[in-house]
Amino acid sequence: MSGFQSPRGLRDIREPDASAFAWAEEHAWSAALAAGYARIQLPVAEDSALFERAIGGTSDVVTKELYRLAVRSEESTPLALRPEVTAGVVRAYLQHGMRSEPQPVRLVTVAELFRHDRPQKGRYRQFTQFDIEAIGDAGSGIDIEVIELGTAYLRSVGLRDIEVHLNSVGCPTCRPGYLVVLAKHFAAVADRLSPVDQARLEENPLRLLDSKDEVAVAHAKGAPRFVEHLCADCAEHDRAVREGLSIAGVTVVDAPHLVRGLDYYTKTAWEYLLPGEQGQQGALGGGGRYDGLVELLGGPATPGVGFAIGIDRVVLALQERGLTPAPQRPPAVVVCGIEPGSVGMRIAIASELRASGVSARADVSTRKIGKQLESAVRDTAIAVIIVEPDGSLSLRDLAAGSQAEPGARAMVVSAAAQLARTQGGQ
RNA sequence: GUGGCCAUCGUUCAAUGGUUAGGACCGCGGUUUGUGGAGCCGCAGAUGAGGGUUCAAUUCCCUCUGGCCACCCCA
């Protein structure tokens, strides 16, 4: 052991997990690209102030989970590793004048994010999100499009039983009024609330709906529902989203207690959940509308919606259900030989096979042929080419156990490729 | 960030306040010398780190590191 370990919450992803990750990410890209979303790659770090402004300076994500980079000189701007992607996307939208493109601007990315949280299963300090953003359209239609896209993605990877929990968190017009009503409701039991919940009653009553504490949970059941205190505009938006989703075939679970952690959400808010799962692993992702964010970041008033789905959690869910895709299979053809001088030729032949679309590798050792065959067999290779001392090649069919007489290179290579193609498909 | 449980070869298990910490799987090699996943034989490989108690610590205590669970929060 070297004495070094990966830092807390940061991990190595190896096979077979690595294949499952790649597979989940590929599905994410293609689901969004097929729907007309444009790829965008963003930097992993941004001006710290961008996150502070977007997410809210008092939020947990900013106050305790943000990785702030050491400042290297007086004039450099303080940077932070991204804890989420929406802020960066909005920054890019403004920086590149995307408001002069057809609206809404639809963007996708798969991003590594960093949050200094206490790690647990399904919760890491570096994690990957599939993120979709549609900026510049205030209509309910785009909400429906985005929500449906997320469900379609999750279903496409095999998570057919996911639930969409939906709520509306209002807007600056109606939220203050609702908070008052809500606070009044909980004030009745204020003295029985846990200390944490009492603080929430003061600072962010919405969070009380989300509490795990017995008293709060019990009292939350009879709490006034936000959907009944929405302003006319928000109420109509909510109605249209629900109706549209139903017609689009997305079944929705009404979730009056759903509140999202980031301050910038308005109106539509939702989460993708796995029924039966408790706690952390249950929430695969979530999203919402953020009509005030662009303006908050210094742009013109511009609406937006988006979601983020945790790839790490998708992979975990896949594994728990045995839906993990088959890992990459080893090369179909192995090129063996024992003379040290034939190594170059073995590599050239393997390369030639690959160029013709057949996976192949050379055995670059000088071990006995028996050992080389054994390792090829264990790797589930289909065929072996043996470079004979005189430079001629023998082709051995591992399934059949037969070996042809040594022949000329071109012939043997094409026969091997042929064999790999016909048997590889089975 | 708070509280709790945990930590032995790459993996999975075992053992002990006292000689060389044991097995299985995996890997590598041998099986009479260039042809197959078996069998047999062999090799390599661990007490996470640092302190303390003790004649003696992998074992008991402390700190750190890392994992897991709950909370917090979120993906």
Side-chain angles (χ1 to χ4, degrees):
Chain A
M1 185 166 296
S2 71
F4 286 113
Q5 264 176 292
S6 59
R8 180 166 226 195
L10 309 184
R11 67 215 176 110
D12 304 309
I13 296 169
R14 300 174 303 147
E15 291 293 8
D17 300 8
S19 285
F21 255 79
W23 183 82
E25 287 179 10
E26 281 155 19
H27 273 70
W29 284 113
S30 59
L33 294 173
Y37 285 69
R39 284 178 194 275
I40 185 167
Q41 299 278 12
L42 298 161
V44 290
E46 299 270 359
D47 190 332
S48 314
L50 173 68
F51 299 124
E52 285 159 13
R53 185 92 68 83
I55 303 166
T58 59
S59 67
D60 278 21
V61 171
V62 164
T63 56
K64 32 186 245 204
E65 297 174 6
L66 200 60
Y67 276 95
R68 295 172 190 278
L69 267 33
V71 176
R72 302 200 57 123
S73 69
E74 295 301 319
E75 60 268 35
S76 61
T77 325
L79 301 182
L81 258 24
R82 37 143 78 150
E84 57 114 42
V85 342
T86 308
V89 170
V90 170
R91 193 223 80 230
Y93 175 88
L94 292 171
Q95 182 174 336
H96 302 108
M98 295 188 206
R99 69 169 185 268
S100 63
E101 294 175 14
Q103 305 292 296
V105 171
R106 294 177 166 91
L107 299 168
V108 213
T109 196
V110 173
E112 306 286 297
L113 306 183
F114 302 85
R115 253 123 90 163
H116 191 97
D117 234 3
R118 184 93 165 234
Q120 238 170 278
K121 193 199 280 185
R123 180 218 241 178
Y124 310 100
R125 289 182 173 179
Q126 177 184 339
F127 57 102
T128 305
Q129 280 188 349
F130 162 32
D131 191 277
I132 285 285
E133 309 290 348
I135 304 176
D137 186 342
S140 54
I142 192 71
D143 295 23
I144 299 164
E145 172 182 307
V146 168
I147 293 170
E148 194 282 333
L149 201 48
T151 66
Y153 163 68
L154 291 168
R155 290 166 63 85
S156 79
V157 296
L159 270 12
R160 313 208 123 261
D161 55 341
I162 50 121
E163 288 177 356
V164 179
H165 286 214
L166 184 74
N167 194 20
S168 174
V169 295
C171 67
T173 305
C174 50
R175 195 181 304 173
Y178 175 65
L179 291 183
V180 170
V181 173
L182 192 64
K184 195 176 291 177
H185 174 77
F186 280 100
V189 290
D191 51 334
R192 288 168 46 216
L193 252 23
S194 69
V196 183
D197 284 337
Q198 291 191 8
R200 288 202 263 235
L201 180 57
E202 294 298 317
E203 288 153 25
N204 189 0
L206 272 186
R207 283 255 154 250
L208 286 166
L209 295 173
D210 213 18
S211 177
K212 310 283 191 305
D213 184 72
E214 258 181 68
V215 178
V217 170
H219 211 62
K221 287 197 179 112
R225 298 158 54 94
F226 207 152
V227 281
E228 284 151 14
H229 292 78
L230 295 172
C231 59
D233 181 37
C234 287
E236 168 52 23
H237 191 94
D238 184 58
R239 206 217 91 245
V241 168
R242 288 170 194 270
E243 179 185 282
L245 283 171
S246 154
I247 294 169
V250 177
T251 307
V252 155
V253 176
D254 183 40
H257 295 170
L258 186 149
V259 287
R260 308 235 56 227
L262 309 175
D263 289 353
Y264 52 63
Y265 287 112
T266 56
K267 293 185 174 154
T268 316
W270 73 94
E271 283 180 359
Y272 298 109
L273 299 170
L274 280 174
E277 299 289 348
Q278 287 294 325
Q280 308 315 321
Q281 294 100 309
L284 292 174
R289 174 164 279 281
Y290 45 88
D291 290 346
L293 184 60
V294 178
E295 198 172 2
L296 184 66
L297 296 180
T302 309
V305 225
F307 71 67
I309 289 176
I311 296 288
D312 306 72
R313 290 188 183 175
V314 167
V315 169
L316 217 47
L318 255 24
Q319 289 170 335
E320 280 166 8
R321 285 146 192 254
L323 297 172
T324 275
Q328 175 73 42
R329 64 166 297 170
V333 181
V334 178
V335 186
C336 303
I338 52 165
E339 280 71 33
S342 73
V343 171
M345 189 178 190
R346 291 180 233 165
I347 290 171
I349 292 166
S351 181
E352 185 182 335
L353 281 160
R354 274 178 246 131
S356 70
V358 171
S359 63
R361 58 161 252 250
D363 189 317
V364 296
S365 75
T366 52
R367 298 185 292 174
K368 317 201 317 194
I369 283 295
K371 290 294 182 186
Q372 296 190 26
L373 285 176
E374 194 178 312
S375 109
V377 165
R378 264 198 295 242
D379 272 1
T380 69
I382 289 162
V384 163
I385 291 174
I386 299 165
V387 179
E388 302 294 349
D390 66 0
S392 64
L393 305 182
S394 300
L395 175 61
R396 186 168 183 83
D397 178 336
L398 291 178
S402 62
Q403 183 165 326
E405 286 302 305
R409 173 165 166 173
M411 236 176 62
V412 173
V413 168
S414 79
Q418 183 65 28
L419 193 59
R421 287 203 188 91
T422 54
Q423 289 191 20
Q426 293 171 1

